[in-house]
Amino acid sequence: MNFFDLHCDTISKCFSKIKKSMLKNKYHIDIERGKSTFDKWFQTFAFWMPDTVNSDKAYDLFLKQYKYMEKFELPIYRGNFDANFKAILMVEGGLLLGKDISRVDELKNKNIKILTLTWNNENAIASGALSTGGLKPFGKQVVCELERKNIVVDVSHLNEESFWDVAQIAKKPFIATHSNAYDVCNHVRNLKADQIREIKSVGGIIGLNFYKLFLEDNCKNGVNALIKHIDYFLKQKCEDILAIGSDFDGADMPDDIKDITFVPTIKQNISRCFGEDIANKIMFENAKRFFDQTFN
Ligand SMILES: [Zn+2]
């Protein structure tokens, strides 16, 4: 099967654990398992910026993680899916920009394709899901500059006020790389119905997150809970914008989604419930189409 994942934290995870290998490890994702599980595998890898450091430290951390990642010689996505495995790069947490707009150029030079504007707290751009306040003047500048440089704005982790501020000024499609439906699981990181409609109307996509707490309260069966979210999204006519943003190596997974080798079973279940065409769209095609339209 083919798999397109809009979000994992494997680089930051391996980097933090005394620099474990991305090629082979015991975490949710390593390159060896991914490549042997899928025919085509397009994996987005995030450089995660914790809210606990200042912006200069965050930028320094990004550079260090980047250098570490380069050791593994991954086939980095530069706008072409010309191999069966591609590593798409994103930054999770706009904190690393500080108030320096020229750092967007650096992201562009380093082939970063997506920037998640915040993590859970406030930064110089906007406010995350666990904080109050909307998009700041510098944040407006950042959204415009990202669009100008063709880096996709990721609204996962934003609070509602910041989300709607972004929606008001964005001229290009924005996406939610790893968020579920709030109506199915009332978590502050999940998307309300009107937010989902907005992302759909601007031509964005939404990646379903496998994190236990975003799937279901007291989640016992992750795949069943995921099916409930998919059912909801399909009822909102989202079959062409729904994708996966696993959050592997960034979150606690349910027992039945232990790591990336469990993805084929998830697909079988989606196929069984909603048909093969829908399963292919969610697992691969919708995200692939969005990237082709955005970066080609
Ligand atoms: Zn996240």
Side-chain angles (χ1 to χ4, degrees):
M1 69 167 280
N2 297 336
F3 183 45
F4 199 130
D5 187 358
L6 293 171
H7 189 81
C8 79
D9 291 296
T10 305
I11 295 173
S12 300
K13 172 98 179 182
C14 289
F15 179 85
S16 71
K17 299 285 177 184
I18 325 173
K19 304 184 182 173
K20 284 275 195 287
S21 173
M22 290 184 69
L23 303 180
K24 194 173 167 62
N25 62 52
K26 292 197 164 89
Y27 305 135
H28 296 148
I29 292 181
D30 65 30
I31 307 307
E32 202 175 290
R33 272 175 292 155
K35 281 170 83 171
S36 62
T37 303
F38 306 111
D39 300 313
K40 285 186 180 170
W41 177 36
F42 302 151
Q43 178 67 50
T44 310
F45 291 95
F47 296 94
W48 173 65
M49 300 296 118
D51 282 327
T52 47
V53 299
N54 68 31
S55 62
D56 285 336
K57 278 233 167 71
Y59 191 66
D60 186 52
L61 181 66
F62 164 66
L63 295 177
K64 282 182 177 146
Q65 290 187 13
Y66 201 95
K67 211 168 172 186
Y68 159 78
M69 179 274 303
E70 282 180 316
K71 287 200 310 192
F72 302 107
E73 299 182 332
L74 308 178
I76 308 277
Y77 173 75
R78 295 182 164 85
N80 259 311
F81 291 111
D82 50 6
N84 287 338
F85 166 50
K86 282 283 181 178
I88 300 149
L89 303 181
M90 70 180 282
V91 169
E92 179 174 28
L95 169 77
L96 87 170
L97 296 182
K99 286 190 174 171
D100 182 356
I101 198 76
S102 72
R103 282 185 186 168
V104 174
D105 282 328
E106 293 305 311
L107 299 188
K108 176 82 182 175
N109 292 339
K110 289 188 149 39
N111 283 298
I112 301 298
K113 296 298 182 204
I114 303 168
L115 177 67
T116 316
L117 297 181
T118 65
W119 199 51
N120 289 325
N121 291 323
E122 182 183 356
N123 63 27
I125 298 170
S127 287
L130 299 184
S131 55
T132 54
L135 191 67
K136 300 177 181 181
F138 177 68
K140 290 181 183 167
Q141 211 187 327
V142 169
V143 170
C144 291
E145 186 66 2
L146 290 170
E147 290 188 340
R148 214 164 67 81
K149 295 269 152 57
N150 208 26
I151 296 173
V152 175
V153 171
D154 179 14
V155 295
S156 278
H157 282 282
L158 288 183
N159 68 13
E160 280 187 83
E161 191 180 344
S162 296
F163 174 96
W164 288 108
D165 287 348
V166 169
Q168 215 168 39
I169 65 156
K171 295 192 173 63
K172 287 188 169 183
F174 50 85
I175 68 177
T177 55
H178 58 304
S179 298
N180 294 341
Y182 185 87
D183 286 347
V184 180
C185 174
N186 300 351
H187 192 289
V188 69
R189 272 278 288 102
N190 286 339
L191 297 161
K192 301 259 174 82
D194 53 354
Q195 295 180 298
I196 294 167
R197 270 196 300 278
E198 184 69 15
I199 294 171
K200 186 181 176 212
S201 80
V202 302
I205 49 173
I206 297 170
L208 292 162
N209 193 317
F210 300 158
Y211 180 29
K212 271 187 195 176
L213 294 185
F214 298 173
L215 282 172
E216 194 168 55
D217 239 12
N218 196 17
C219 180
K220 295 268 188 289
N221 186 322
V223 177
N224 272 358
L226 188 72
I227 294 289
K228 285 181 206 165
H229 284 272
I230 293 173
D231 187 51
Y232 173 86
F233 276 105
L234 294 178
K235 284 180 177 139
Q236 314 296 311
K237 301 189 169 42
C238 288
E239 74 167 78
D240 292 319
I241 67 155
L242 201 55
I244 301 291
S246 69
D247 222 347
F248 278 137
D249 289 319
D252 272 348
M253 294 291 134
D255 290 341
D256 56 341
I257 313 180
K258 281 199 172 67
D259 63 35
I260 196 161
T261 64
F262 287 65
V263 168
T265 312
I266 298 173
K267 190 190 173 188
Q268 281 165 19
N269 278 280
I270 299 174
S271 274
R272 185 174 46 78
C273 295
F274 307 108
E276 176 102 24
D277 285 353
I278 299 252
N280 285 333
K281 284 184 179 190
I282 295 172
M283 302 310 278
F284 186 76
E285 286 165 11
N286 287 339
K288 168 78 163 47
R289 188 195 59 244
F290 180 84
F291 273 69
D292 285 342
Q293 285 169 354
T294 305
F295 298 110
N296 264 343

